Amino acid sequence: MKIISVVGARPNFMKIAPFIKAVNNHNTRHSIIHKLVHTGQHYDDSMSKAFFEELEIPEADVNLKIGSGTHAEQVGQTMIAFEKVLKAERPDWVVVVGDVNATLACSVTAKKEWIKVCHIEAGLRSHDLTMPEEINRLVTDRISDLLLAPDTLSVENLRSEGVPDSKIRFVGNIMIDTLETNRKKAEKINIGDIIERNYKGPRQTIQGSRKTAVPDTRPEKGDFSVVTLHRPSNVDSREVLGPIVNFLTDEVAEDLLLLWPIHPRTKKMLSEFGLSEKVALHKNIILLEPLGYLDMLRLNMGARLILTDSGGLQEECTVLGTPCLTLRRNTERPVTLRDHGGASVLVGNNIDVIREEYHKALSGRRNPVRPELWDGNTAERCLKAILEYGR
Ligand code: UD1
């Protein structure tokens, strides 16, 4: 059997790492030929190479190097380049993960070449078509042959869309395999060292010049909060990003040291809106480069609370019990919400709501929760589903 797995952007890497390990463990008799294709949507070392190294992902067999662009450019260029790979390789399966542009582009290209598609992390729905990821999820799930769902709510979503049970397998959350594999390693990391290695001084943030000395402030255990923002709906408009920045600088950072690993998109927008200085010069805010997997996991383990618009962090917070304010109006991961026993609460970008939930979260306690089958063994179930398909 020949399998091509696809990655494109940062959140894909922690999902493919355990799958490749499962293939290698199974492959003592070399019954599977596996190739990894990186579309190259994320290309900075901090957004891509660092994850390959830490998560021990073998170097991609092919990198399509499509880089940044509009959605149509990214999807179109990926399809053109991936079609050539498929024509040359003729795999039995293309495995796609998550909901980024690579997921959509490569699943469509594979189906048009009559190649079977397996979608890991199928069935998540935000029901919000203004999110590019929702379109990617809907299209990929509609055409996939094998839909591997992370939770029972996702299974129900697929059933309600008319997907037959013969195509659906409930396998659990593959990202939690990566969390469990790396938990002990992350525990050993000193938070001061994370800051030292990744500190983005004010001058560097504002002008792109060299780093300045790391500030003296050091977070004691649990005495810091973490923010990550990258969604266009939060960072692409001044009317939304401005009040969020004011809340972070004038309220959160007045209570707690705030660690902020900055996504390239957010850095660009802060600068465009003239907000960089306000953030970078605040004495209680430490701006960091985009973090590697282990450093981010370590911060999550230690933080008093996290404010984020990342879906993956919502899931990790749930398993670690870190109170999580999700700066979105909806989520495709309801299983992580407090209403379902998780650690996260939707706060959108209305500052009054964010403030109210922030104070609740500050006084809240850690409450680790493990949804069904988030047990660290999902990758094996994914591979088993592929191997048993059609039997
Ligand atoms: C993409 C995914 C999103 C995911 C996020 C995680 C889609 C539709 N979106 O959004 O689901 O949550 O990744 O990060 O696939 N840039 C760099 N270096 C890089 C990559 C990007 O500087 O290595 C900058 C470029 O200016 C680029 C911008 O970041 O235009 C946005 O990158 P892009 O890949 O278009 O989308 P993300 O916002 O990262």
Side-chain angles (χ1 to χ4, degrees), residues 9-11 41-45 47-48 67-69 71 74 99-102 132-133 136 230-232 263-265 268 310-311:
R10 184 168 63 175
Q41 177 177 343
H42 284 177
Y43 44 84
D44 282 349
D45 285 357
M47 300 290 283
S48 177
S68 298
H71 286 265
Q74 285 182 336
D99 54 18
V100 302
N101 287 338
E133 292 83 359
N136 296 346
H230 74 286
R231 295 219 180 253
H263 186 282
R265 175 192 284 275
K268 194 168 103 192
S310 147

Side-chain angles (χ1 to χ4, degrees), residues 6 36 44 51 66 96 106 113 127 159 173 180 196 199 202 204 214 225 231 239 242 281 289 315 317 378 390:
V6 176
L36 179 63
D44 282 349
F51 290 85
I66 61 127
V96 293
C106 294
E113 285 294 308
H127 304 289
R159 282 189 180 140
N173 187 337
E180 293 304 338
E196 191 82 37
Y199 179 59
Q204 191 204 20
V214 182
S225 57
R231 295 219 180 253
E239 286 65 42
L281 298 176
E289 301 286 347
E315 296 180 338
C317 284
T378 292

Side-chain angles (χ1 to χ4, degrees), residues 215-368:
D216 282 342
T217 342
R218 285 289 191 278
E220 300 308 319
K221 201 176 167 221
D223 211 12
F224 63 94
S225 57
V226 175
V227 61
T228 81
L229 292 171
H230 74 286
R231 295 219 180 253
S233 55
N234 281 329
V235 305
D236 281 7
S237 117
R238 196 185 199 294
E239 286 65 42
V240 176
L241 187 58
I244 293 177
V245 164
N246 288 342
F247 176 72
L248 294 174
T249 51
D250 304 349
E251 303 191 39
V252 179
E254 292 301 313
D255 296 332
L256 283 171
L257 183 66
L258 179 66
L259 304 182
W260 187 346
I262 291 238
H263 186 282
R265 175 192 284 275
T266 312
K267 182 183 170 194
K268 194 168 103 192
M269 299 321 291
L270 282 174
S271 160
E272 246 181 74
F273 301 146
L275 294 166
S276 301
E277 274 198 42
K278 181 159 195 199
V279 176
L281 298 176
H282 195 292
K283 65 175 177 11
N284 227 11
I285 295 182
I286 299 188
L287 294 180
L288 302 170
E289 301 286 347
L291 296 180
Y293 181 78
L294 291 170
D295 287 349
M296 194 63 218
L297 181 56
R298 178 65 190 93
L299 291 192
N300 195 341
M301 286 170 161
R304 182 102 159 257
L305 82 150
I306 290 193
L307 302 102
T308 188
D309 57 13
S310 147
L313 269 175
Q314 262 176 267
E315 296 180 338
E316 287 158 350
C317 284
T318 291
V319 171
L320 298 171
T322 317
C324 172
L325 303 192
T326 301
L327 278 82
R328 291 176 50 187
R329 279 176 299 146
N330 49 52
T331 178
E332 62 289 341
R333 294 168 162 89
V335 75
T336 66
L337 294 179
R338 265 198 241 138
D339 298 347
H340 289 271
S344 144
V345 58
L346 290 177
V347 293
N349 46 34
N350 177 318
I351 300 303
D352 292 333
V353 179
I354 299 177
R355 181 181 297 115
E356 191 186 328
E357 290 298 336
Y358 164 70
H359 287 289
K360 274 195 216 161
L362 265 191
S363 53
R365 277 186 297 137
R366 277 182 176 265
N367 179 26

Side-chain angles (χ1 to χ4, degrees), residues 5-78:
S5 303
V6 176
V7 289
R10 184 168 63 175
N12 291 161
F13 306 136
M14 32 295 219
K15 293 169 195 164
I16 217 62
F19 180 74
I20 295 178
K21 276 192 192 127
V23 170
N24 289 340
N25 289 341
H26 169 89
N27 228 3
T28 43
R29 283 177 288 112
H30 304 286
S31 52
I32 303 173
I33 300 167
H34 178 264
K35 299 221 165 168
L36 179 63
V37 171
H38 189 335
T39 67
Q41 177 177 343
H42 284 177
Y43 44 84
D44 282 349
D45 285 357
S46 63
M47 300 290 283
S48 177
K49 190 170 170 231
F51 290 85
F52 273 67
E53 286 171 5
E54 276 189 326
L55 303 179
E56 296 171 7
I57 304 172
E59 201 180 328
D61 296 280
V62 183
N63 190 321
L64 306 179
K65 296 199 172 151
I66 61 127
S68 298
T70 64
H71 286 265
E73 284 165 349
Q74 285 182 336
V75 171
Q77 281 162 18
T78 303

